[in-house]
Amino acid sequence: MDPLDLHFDRFVLRPGSRELLADGHALRLGARAFDLLLALARRPGEVLTRDELFECAWPGRVVVDDNLKVQVMALRKLLGNAAIVTVPRRGYRFGLAVVAKSDAAASMSRPSRPGTGLIGRDEELSSVLDHLAPGCLLTIVGSGGMGKTRLALAAAEQAGARFTDGRCAVELASLADPALLPAAVAHALQLPSTGSLTSAASVASALQPLALLLVLDNCEHLRAEAALFAQAVLECAPQVALLATSQEPLGLREEHLLRLAGLRWPEPAALESGADLDALRALPAVVLFCARVAAADGRFVLDRDNAGAVAAICRQLEGMPLALELAAARVPLLGVGGVLARLDQHLRLLTKGAADAPARQQTLRGALQWSHALLDDTQKSAFRRLGVFADGFSFAGAVQVVGPIGTVDVRQADADPEWAVLDTLDVLVAKSLLQTQDVAGQRRYRLLVTARAFALERLADSGESAATQRRHAQAVLALFNAAHDDLLGAPLLPWIDRLWIEVPDLRAALRWAAGPGGDASLLLGLVSAAGPFWAAANLDAEAAPWLQATRKLVDACESVSRRARYWQAVALRVIDPTTPVAEAVAAAERAADLFAEAGDTRAAYRMLGIVVQHGRRVQPQRDVRAVLERMRTMEAPGWTELDRRLRARAESIVLARSGDWTAYRDRFAHDAALLAENGDEMRVWGCLHHVALAEMALGRPERAVEVTAPVVQRLRELGLTRQQWTRPALLMMARIEAGAAQEMAPLLREVLTLLRVAGAPAWSADHLAWWAVNCGAHEEAARLLGWADTGFEPPREPRHSHAQSAATHTLAHLQGRLAPDRLEALRREGRSLGDTFALQRVLALA
């Protein structure tokens, strides 16, 4: 993982790639000057002595003082004189404000795949870049296979630096349910799931504080929902720029359109033998075709012998990038002349096809039909069945879904299913109907969007759709059931990452199982098996409607294990700090009993841990000591200390409620060490969160800052602060209790944005009132304290211990500064502020 980028003024310093950018453009900077700038920018405002700077730029060498002066002068020339301040007789300090953050775009945008660089689109790229500005909507419109996605991603790569919060690309091609579009955007942006980010309006509202470039890729099948979402963003989030790709416009008044035609292809004169070969080589369609042929066959060169055939192919395919690539892939086998002959034959055949389809769509269909015709019956069968995958898939998944192919049933005991499917996949990859991808160290396969649509047409014509979709749903269920069994012993972050790539297929399987001709039993199984993943990945908003839709199926289910996993999925929603807990605690109790009945002791043990941790938050409160005793009786002699940590943690929570915060801290610190040894970084973050809470309760907020700051830094590096928003919020609270005031304004602004995006603006309200006291703004503190009161009014839960401590501290301080009548009047005023105005007041102080 590269270090964080350093942003100051209009510059970005990238330690990982050793680049200095100004307004997104790289500047020339020598190695010594870069090292000096990095040392200064990493410690803004601090004085670095000449010896320190010499050691950074010339380690272990003796150099004269003039060398340092020359490099400083060069930096001032680039950055301005104010950037580097001379401190007489001491050294230099960096004079600009620095913000360290990861490149959100790099982690959230889809990277270009090998061999898919942008060719021949310089004019279109320039046009897109000219239009991209906060508050705009630009839609790149063109037929399938025209290169809309590549152009959009290339533009986002170049324009992302203009936006403080970076860029994010959301691929919608695998999203069949329009209602899930807002949730897909929320996930891509790492927005936390609070149960409310399910509509265009709610997600647009969460985007309001962000300044970013949002790419919505492949909108055509979700046109109405995409238009609704875009309109909501335009109205609510003025700092967001929208870049969409679609086969037709979204139809909004504010929409700017860029219609993408084919790459410029040769004129008829280029087909003549005496044509200018250099001019032909410069045409974008020819450049792309020849580049792809050369990648497949290193011996290929464009010469006078093949120039006429190459020009004819590019012209007949109208410069369409996907069609050119499909044609190029056949050249090693058929030669340029052979490709031209077959292409021409299939194009004539397609003129008798769907007359009402756009001409370019017919041309693309021709290229796909031609490629499909080169398959034998077994390969065609596998190809059409693979179309049910919503996105990428594994080899094991392909074996399960393809099932019987040709005359061989790959499920028979005397057949080798892996080799049978492997040979078929190899052919499909060679014929460019299937792509290979390396994702998280795993080889996966993927049909192009247009190839998938073509495969599904063939599947429907074959009458195999229902059987293939059933096998697909069964494969997804098996995958998530296996992941469930791994959950307790596996490090959480890689476990989530491994399943994230399967989400499109989980959604597709759920839609099929719930639809006409689906399977209610499979539907309940999928929902139940997905519960732990939905909870760990912060997808409560996606889980909730499926849990509600299948609730009526639970009691009739004969499988005790499946019923147990369903109630576990309901119970795990309690992980979201904004979720009501009464239903979750009751579900945990039911799940524990059912898991015990099914003989799954570890799962029952985990559910009882939820009851202990959250049983105090419901009425009537649970007898947690009895639950702890039950957990103790479940522990087998072979269980390790890591296995028993849930009960030890639960006991610590009970101790904390009685005031023993030292035992609470020590228990979670011990757990953090155990989990770190197991490589479980994400669960370590949770333990350290509790350690920091204990330190604050013990009156040691400085120690809480020391514990939490590295966690927040790591979350920034991974781009997870929006999902794990409680960690930066806790760091802010600890610094407030430590007496910090104006120097923490950057952190305060970051956290307020996170709270607004999370839909929990008042989560740290009492501490914000404390911070106002630290700033000497006593009347504002009184108003904020009144605002905090409204966050705990019935039917909400009462203040938790840390909020109550902050409220008590703030009130005691204000009682010594303000007259009683004035204090009460200001609190009443604060109760009527509302979240938006309250946060505006906080930002004004910052």
Side-chain angles (χ1 to χ4, degrees):
M1 178 82 53
D2 287 340
L4 293 177
D5 295 344
L6 303 176
H7 296 243
F8 44 89
D9 197 12
R10 61 189 184 92
F11 301 95
V12 180
L13 187 65
R14 292 181 169 170
S17 57
R18 293 184 65 82
E19 292 180 292
L20 175 64
L21 280 66
D23 299 325
H25 300 287
L27 301 178
R28 297 191 59 164
L29 193 63
R32 307 295 186 195
F34 184 93
D35 290 336
L36 289 172
L37 177 57
L38 182 60
L40 289 161
R42 278 178 167 165
R43 295 165 62 182
E46 296 183 33
V47 177
L48 273 70
T49 66
R50 287 172 169 78
D51 290 341
E52 288 177 299
L53 293 172
F54 278 128
E55 187 59 28
C56 290
W58 296 275
R61 298 181 59 184
V62 178
V63 293
V64 298
D65 193 55
D66 284 347
N67 287 346
L68 179 58
K69 293 179 180 178
V70 168
Q71 299 297 340
V72 169
M73 289 173 62
L75 289 173
R76 285 173 174 161
K77 186 174 181 180
L78 282 175
L79 306 175
N81 290 333
I84 301 178
V85 179
T86 302
V87 181
R89 296 183 298 279
R90 294 182 61 193
Y92 299 90
R93 64 176 174 84
F94 198 66
L96 302 179
V98 178
V99 176
K101 59 182 179 180
S102 62
D103 184 355
S107 63
M108 293 188 287
S109 295
R110 289 181 289 117
S112 298
R113 293 182 291 276
T116 61
L118 192 66
I119 294 177
R121 295 294 192 193
D122 292 346
E123 183 177 341
E124 292 90 342
L125 179 60
S126 177
S127 179
V128 173
L129 292 173
D130 287 343
H131 280 89
L132 288 181
C136 80
L137 166 61
L138 174 63
T139 304
I140 302 173
V141 178
S143 60
M146 197 57 75
K148 301 183 294 295
T149 294
R150 291 178 189 170
L151 176 59
L153 293 182
E157 178 73 25
Q158 292 198 27
R162 303 178 187 173
F163 299 86
T164 305
D165 293 296
R167 68 193 187 277
C168 176
V170 187
E171 184 178 77
L172 302 175
S174 62
L175 198 67
D177 185 355
L180 287 177
L181 188 151
V185 175
H187 160 59
L189 286 165
Q190 304 287 3
L191 303 182
S193 173
T194 65
S196 62
L197 295 181
T198 57
S199 68
S202 61
V203 176
S205 179
L207 294 180
Q208 194 277 331
L210 302 179
L212 59 86
L213 170 59
L214 181 59
V215 180
L216 301 178
D217 193 24
N218 292 302
C219 296
E220 53 271 359
H221 62 304
L222 306 170
R223 180 173 174 267
E225 187 68 26
L228 178 66
F229 179 81
Q231 186 67 61
V233 172
L234 291 173
E235 293 173 355
C236 295
Q239 300 179 86
V240 174
L242 287 170
L243 177 59
T245 71
S246 179
Q247 292 188 20
E248 60 180 322
L250 300 185
L252 297 180
R253 181 182 303 175
E254 302 89 345
E255 185 179 24
H256 296 278
L257 295 180
L258 174 66
R259 294 191 177 273
L260 206 58
L263 297 171
R264 190 155 54 92
W265 61 79
E267 296 296 329
L271 307 182
E272 301 172 2
S273 59
D276 185 347
L277 201 58
D278 289 335
L280 190 65
R281 288 192 179 106
L283 292 172
V286 176
V287 172
L288 175 62
F289 180 79
C290 293
R292 298 298 182 255
V293 175
D297 183 357
R299 299 168 300 176
F300 176 82
V301 292
L302 179 67
D303 55 29
R304 296 203 173 275
D305 292 333
N306 58 31
V310 168
I313 290 171
C314 293
R315 181 172 176 78
Q316 290 192 40
L317 292 180
E318 300 180 308
M320 301 179 72
L322 177 58
L324 290 170
E325 291 185 11
L326 289 169
R330 302 295 172 258
V331 171
L333 177 65
L334 302 173
V336 176
V339 168
L340 177 60
R342 286 166 176 79
L343 183 62
D344 183 66
Q345 180 182 11
H346 280 272
L347 289 175
R348 286 201 303 268
L349 179 64
L350 280 176
T351 59
K352 300 179 181 179
D356 59 343
R360 285 190 172 87
Q361 192 174 36
Q362 292 178 9
T363 302
L364 180 59
R365 183 181 296 277
L368 289 167
Q369 181 70 49
W370 160 67
S371 298
H372 185 258
L374 296 177
L375 304 177
D376 64 26
D377 288 343
T378 297
Q379 294 157 3
K380 288 177 180 176
S381 177
F383 169 70
R384 64 177 176 258
R385 294 174 189 181
L386 292 173
V388 300
F389 283 106
D391 198 16
F393 53 89
S394 66
F395 174 63
V399 171
Q400 292 175 278
V401 169
V402 167
I405 49 175
T407 58
V408 178
D409 187 341
V410 300
R411 298 172 299 178
Q412 294 176 358
D414 58 348
D416 190 334
E418 293 195 353
W419 282 108
V421 176
L422 182 62
D423 289 342
T424 306
L425 294 183
D426 188 49
V427 171
L428 296 178
V429 170
K431 294 182 181 298
S432 296
L433 287 169
L434 198 64
Q435 293 180 317
T436 60
Q437 301 173 307
D438 288 317
V439 181
Q442 177 188 161
R443 174 56 57 93
R444 290 175 69 83
Y445 303 86
R446 181 180 183 273
L447 288 170
L448 294 171
V449 172
T450 48
R452 183 182 301 116
F454 187 82
L456 288 174
E457 287 182 0
R458 305 281 77 76
L459 185 65
D461 292 342
S462 73
E464 299 174 346
S465 291
T468 306
Q469 287 173 316
R470 179 177 295 277
R471 286 196 300 272
H472 174 259
Q474 290 170 336
V476 173
L477 176 59
L479 188 150
F480 276 85
N481 274 334
H484 180 280
D485 295 336
D486 295 340
L487 174 60
L488 292 179
L492 192 55
L493 197 56
W495 183 88
I496 293 172
D497 289 343
R498 177 162 53 93
L499 290 178
W500 259 126
I501 54 178
E502 311 293 350
V503 168
D505 283 295
L506 172 63
R507 291 169 175 166
L510 287 167
R511 286 194 304 271
W512 172 80
D519 187 313
S521 177
L522 267 177
L523 175 63
L524 179 61
L526 288 164
V527 171
S528 302
F533 168 75
W534 277 330
N538 206 9
L539 287 175
D540 180 69
E542 188 163 334
W546 286 114
L547 290 167
Q548 185 62 37
T550 52
R551 183 155 303 187
K552 58 182 179 296
L553 303 174
V554 180
D555 293 338
C557 178
E558 296 181 359
S559 169
V560 175
S561 177
R562 186 164 290 181
R563 281 186 280 138
R565 290 190 179 187
Y566 173 85
W567 290 115
Q568 173 186 248
V570 176
L572 290 174
R573 293 185 62 199
V574 79
I575 292 175
D576 190 316
T578 64
T579 298
V581 298
E583 181 184 5
V585 170
E589 292 170 322
R590 296 182 70 172
D593 292 340
L594 288 167
F595 276 128
E597 182 181 344
D600 191 341
T601 303
R602 291 181 183 273
Y605 189 82
R606 184 187 186 198
M607 292 297 98
L608 292 177
I610 290 178
V611 175
V612 175
Q613 184 169 352
H614 300 282
R616 65 180 176 82
R617 300 170 61 190
V618 298
Q619 295 297 329
Q621 290 190 3
R622 301 304 190 258
D623 182 358
V624 294
R625 296 191 181 278
V627 178
L628 283 170
E629 184 56 34
R630 184 180 173 189
M631 292 178 73
R632 189 177 288 105
T633 62
M634 289 180 171
E635 296 169 358
W639 281 23
T640 66
E641 185 179 9
L642 200 59
D643 296 328
R644 301 170 189 265
R645 67 182 176 82
L646 290 178
R647 176 177 58 82
R649 173 185 293 191
E651 288 175 338
S652 300
I653 291 171
V654 173
L655 290 171
R657 291 175 197 155
S658 65
D660 192 348
W661 285 100
T662 300
Y664 180 90
R665 176 199 61 196
D666 293 347
R667 176 69 256 172
F668 279 100
H670 183 71
D671 277 2
L674 279 177
L675 292 164
E677 290 178 8
N678 198 44
D680 200 344
E681 184 178 19
M682 193 170 184
R683 288 191 174 102
V684 168
W685 300 337
C687 289
L688 294 179
H689 187 93
H690 288 278
V691 170
L693 286 173
E695 295 289 7
M696 290 165 66
L698 291 168
R700 299 175 16 148
E702 296 86 357
R703 176 57 186 152
V705 170
E706 293 174 8
V707 170
T708 309
V711 173
V712 173
Q713 183 75 357
R714 178 64 171 153
L715 292 173
R716 289 170 180 154
E717 292 173 1
L718 296 175
L720 292 176
T721 53
R722 293 175 193 157
Q723 285 189 338
Q724 299 275 326
W725 57 271
T726 57
R727 317 305 187 205
L730 182 63
L731 176 60
M732 179 193 73
M733 292 159 59
R735 285 186 170 165
I736 289 170
E737 291 196 14
Q742 292 293 350
E743 67 271 16
M744 63 168 287
L747 173 63
L748 191 80
R749 284 191 286 268
E750 176 191 20
V751 171
L752 293 189
T753 297
L754 293 174
L755 293 176
R756 292 170 68 190
V757 170
W763 198 72
S764 302
D766 288 297
H767 278 81
L768 293 175
W770 187 336
W771 175 73
V773 167
N774 290 348
C775 295
H778 301 115
E779 293 203 345
E780 201 63 85
R783 292 187 186 94
L784 293 174
L785 190 60
W787 168 56
D789 293 338
T790 63
F792 301 99
E793 293 172 347
R796 297 184 177 94
E797 297 176 43
R799 278 182 168 91
H800 53 79
S801 59
H802 290 78
Q804 185 59 58
S805 175
T808 301
H809 170 90
T810 303
L811 182 59
H813 188 92
L814 293 176
Q815 286 171 338
R817 300 294 189 282
L818 299 172
D821 291 347
R822 181 58 177 162
L823 175 57
E824 184 55 34
L826 290 168
R827 288 187 73 174
R828 282 197 306 271
E829 183 181 336
R831 293 186 189 104
S832 62
L833 276 179
D835 295 336
T836 300
F837 287 109
L839 294 179
Q840 286 175 354
R841 289 180 174 274
V842 174
L843 287 171
L845 279 177

